Amino acid sequence: MAKDRGQDERRAVSARRAAVTALATPRRRRDDEGSVLVMVLVLCFVVATSVTVALTTSSASVEQTHAYTNTTSARLAAESGIQATLVAMKSATSYTALPPCSPTTTALASGSYTTTVAYFDGPTALCPLSRQPSKMTATITATGTSGNASVQMQAQVTIASTPAPMPAFDYSLFSASYVKMDSGATLIAGSGAANPSVYAGTTFYCTNTNSIEGNVEVFAPGSGGVSLDSSCAIKGTLYAEGSVSLTNSVSLGGLEAFGGSLSMTSTPTILGSAYVSGGGITIGNSGPTIDGNVGVTGSIGSKTGTIPPGTFESAPCSGSPSCMPGNVARPPPQNFPVLDPTSWPSSYTVDTVSGSACKNFGSYQYPGGGPAASPLADDIANAPAGGTTVIDASQCSSRVDLEGASTTSGGSCPTSGLSYYTLHSNIILMVSSLNDYGCNTFASDSSGPYDLVVMVPDPIPGSASGELYFTNTTNFASNVNVLLYTPGEAYFDCNDDLSGQIVAGSVYTTNSFSLTATNSASNIIPDALQPSANVVTVDNEVLLKD
């Protein structure tokens, strides 16, 4: 019994242990599951944090990349602005074609650039541009933008050009309208000078023993055309748009006429060839002579003159220009050059005449005793030697009258005295109009020759006539190179001898006027020159803002 009781007790103990064990096992499983959940949560937090950091880093990297890209694009845009401005400077053929001083913006595929240019003649600022000296400096500022980025660059450059005269100044006598040459006027070539040529914008008259060594160009459609009479001799070629009339002992080196007809009467001679496009030829008698070839698009009314037979390339051409040689072409019409200088090179001396100083500016003064030199004569005498002086009397409402001396007993002008102007420098005299009477002589001193420019600005100031009128016995010595410029009329009723050129709205010459061609005086008027090819040198380029 006792043995059985012991066995029962042992069984009971085992049962209780088994029950305890059974109760403890689910708690351990729940504890393990909680630990795993915590580990998962920790892992998720770590992963989330890592992803967040990665995304933040990636976003910052993208922003940095965009910023770098924009900055690079902006810098390239600014550099493009500098280069585009340099190209424009090199290709400019006049100061009006140079890049402007005002800001200019240009759009690009990934941004834009804005450029500004400041020009200088030494220390003198040239903006807004009204001229281009032969050498000047410029500061180019270019701002490139792309996105939010902005980059600014600056370049210092030197612009050098070889100035050349405007087309009108290639002629020794240029008129926007008519040229009338009468009574022995002569136009000849000087030593190494410009071609002694004539340009008339509408009408050309030549009569009474005039002689021109160069060519003559006339554009006169629908107007008086070209009328040559009484021993007028043109040794070069006459280029004419409009009808041409040759009468008496006229002599031409050659003729090319466009849009009109040719009429020859009495004994005119064409030493070279004659080509008439757009009209016919009328030969009034047996005296006219054409020594060279003849081409005409119209009909030939008569062949009784001395014209070599068989030289007609086609007669008539039935209106077709095919009979004209390939090198026969109408010269281009030229515009009157507008000169209204408002600024001068810093090396020039400028004397402005206005108010009460205008009165009797060119006349003798009478301070108490005998006559004294005119204010104009004083200005010329006191001009700095060897330089260029501008005497600006263009705003004077009164005409400048040059009071001259009386002739000597031999009929000549005095070689000294109050009306003998001795140039020690180049002189530019600006007037609203000018009249010369009596004996006036202009000459350079022994250090010359010097240039003398007498000009009326265009437009003509106020209600002035703009006329440059020379009469009696005005003398320009051979050691003075002269330019006479006016949009009005240049009138010569005297036996002047002038070395230089005339550029005017109209021109009339008579009484044995003589012009020896040279265009050196036009070189001291900045507005009369235009640059050819610019040589642009970059002196310095810096990054101002990045």
Side-chain angles (χ1 to χ4, degrees), residues 357 359-367 371-382 391 400-404 417-421 440 442:
K359 186 177 181 180
N360 299 323
F361 180 64
S363 302
Y364 301 156
Q365 304 296 294
Y366 297 88
S374 68
L376 172 60
D378 285 339
D379 283 352
I380 292 176
N382 296 326
I391 303 172
V400 173
D401 290 325
L402 298 183
E403 182 177 358
L418 299 179
S419 60
Y420 194 92
Y421 301 86
N440 289 282
F442 295 86

Side-chain angles (χ1 to χ4, degrees), residues 81 87 98 124 156 173 189 268 300 460 536:
V87 170
L98 285 168
T124 304
Q156 308 286 338
L173 197 159
I300 299 177
I460 299 171
V536 181

Side-chain angles (χ1 to χ4, degrees), residues 6-43:
Q7 291 179 346
D8 290 337
E9 289 177 357
R10 283 195 295 276
R11 290 191 189 98
V13 170
S14 296
R16 283 195 300 271
R17 287 178 178 173
V20 171
T21 300
L23 291 172
T25 298
R27 185 180 298 114
R28 283 197 303 269
R29 287 178 180 171
R30 285 194 299 271
D31 291 342
D32 290 342
E33 289 175 355
S35 299
V36 170
L37 179 60
V38 170
M39 291 180 65
V40 169
L41 292 175
V42 170
L43 181 61

